[in-house]
Amino acid sequence: MNGNLTALTVTRLREPGMYADGGGLFLQVSKGGGRSWVYRYMIAGRSREVGLGSAATITLAEARNHRDDARRLRDQGIDPIEQRKHEKAKAHLDAAKAMTFREAASAYIDAQKAAWRNAKHRTQWTSSLETYAYPIFGKVSVQSIDTTLVLKALEPIWAVKPETASRVRGRVEAILDWAKVRGFREGENPARWRGHLAMILPPRSKVRKVVHHASLPYKEIGAFMADLRARDHLGKGTRIRYFDRRTERGSSWCAMVGD
């Protein structure tokens, strides 16, 4: 099937024409001196030919391999030309589907804002995603987001900010569900809780919450400081510093004990 051409003769042929190698493979030399590979075949009673690339970049051995790939398709009843068209169309479609998570999130928020009564929802969604999700997979296509990426965003805050982490997880899940319905993603949702992340992360109700002590009213600061100085366990070298902490809700006194 092979052998009519050699690597050397391929470089030396200059006369325009079709030079057969065997098995339907031809070297085509144009009038302008250009050389390219062509595979000729019969399928469904039709004579067809498909280009296999330029001889300047594809060697004789590579052209034979391409010819063999095309022959295998033909033997399966698949027209190599139609298969190539299908693959190109799929590549264009895949490129069109390559929506990033950030783009999907923006589209989802825009679609939902009419149903959100509170204008703060959009700000809260955007802020939480910008802080915890976008730095990890904001530029990643929604199709490529997996459990590993979702956990990379959630695990650092799951124990220290359980309520925030839970909201971020739910928002990521909703956005990926939207992307799937719109045809930008296939497969399971890696941010799903039930039967998935619930097997990896502890439930929010079990995560220890930080409880802060209530601030001391201003009128009680004098008695508190006197009692603090009188404590036996505080050595003579212990320094007590206190300051007025002012917030939007008013003022409160804080004390720091140190050496």
Side-chain angles (χ1 to χ4, degrees):
M1 185 168 62
N2 297 331
N4 293 340
L5 296 175
T6 66
L8 183 59
T9 57
V10 167
T11 62
R12 289 180 173 178
L13 289 170
R14 294 287 185 270
E15 189 71 21
M18 300 288 286
Y19 297 89
D21 178 60
L25 177 64
F26 290 82
L27 175 66
Q28 178 176 260
V29 180
S30 68
K31 292 181 179 180
R35 290 168 297 163
S36 60
W37 299 106
V38 174
Y39 170 54
R40 286 179 172 176
Y41 60 98
M42 293 286 295
I43 189 168
R46 298 173 60 194
S47 176
R48 309 207 75 183
E49 65 177 49
V50 59
L52 301 180
S54 170
T57 56
I58 297 177
T59 66
L60 175 59
E62 291 171 335
R64 287 169 176 171
N65 288 335
H66 293 328
R67 182 269 320 275
D68 292 342
D69 291 339
R71 282 172 63 90
R72 279 189 284 271
L73 288 174
R74 186 208 60 181
D75 292 344
Q76 297 171 32
I78 302 172
D79 189 331
I81 293 177
E82 298 305 320
Q83 177 67 14
R84 178 178 292 182
K85 290 179 180 178
H86 171 75
E87 290 175 353
K88 286 185 177 180
K90 186 178 183 301
H92 286 306
L93 182 60
D94 289 343
K97 286 185 175 182
M99 172 180 277
T100 67
F101 179 80
R102 190 181 193 118
E103 291 169 340
S106 179
Y108 176 84
I109 293 171
D110 285 341
Q112 297 297 318
K113 64 182 180 181
W116 288 339
R117 296 180 180 179
N118 192 335
K120 292 183 179 180
H121 280 339
R122 182 186 181 94
T123 301
Q124 292 171 344
W125 270 67
T126 302
S127 177
S128 64
L129 293 173
E130 285 181 342
T131 302
Y132 303 109
Y134 293 165
I136 306 300
F137 47 80
K139 296 181 180 180
V140 179
S141 72
V142 288
Q143 180 59 52
S144 299
I145 295 175
D146 57 14
T147 303
T148 300
L149 287 174
V150 173
L151 288 174
K152 191 174 181 180
L154 295 179
E155 284 183 323
I157 60 172
W158 194 259
V160 294
K161 297 180 179 180
E163 184 174 349
T164 298
S166 181
R167 289 177 178 173
V168 171
R169 184 209 63 77
R171 288 164 183 171
V172 172
E173 181 183 19
I175 292 165
L176 294 180
D177 277 344
W178 173 91
K180 183 176 181 178
V181 173
R182 294 298 301 267
F184 296 109
R185 176 183 170 83
E186 296 177 351
E188 296 296 323
N189 193 323
R192 189 182 74 252
W193 176 252
R194 184 173 298 180
H196 188 57
L197 292 184
M199 305 294 104
I200 303 173
L201 299 171
R204 192 178 67 174
S205 60
K206 300 294 184 181
V207 176
R208 183 186 222 175
K209 296 181 179 180
V210 177
V211 179
H212 298 281
H213 292 288
S215 58
L216 189 68
Y218 174 80
K219 293 181 180 180
E220 298 177 20
I221 189 64
F224 169 76
M225 295 303 298
D227 179 70
L228 190 62
R229 292 192 180 96
R231 300 278 176 165
D232 292 337
H233 66 273
L234 295 179
K236 293 182 179 180
T238 301
R239 292 179 297 172
I240 303 174
R241 292 171 292 175
Y242 54 92
F243 54 92
D244 183 9
R245 184 180 67 186
R246 300 180 184 277
T247 66
E248 293 180 356
R249 297 182 179 181
S251 300
S252 60
W253 284 87
C254 300
M256 293 190 298
V257 181
D259 295 331

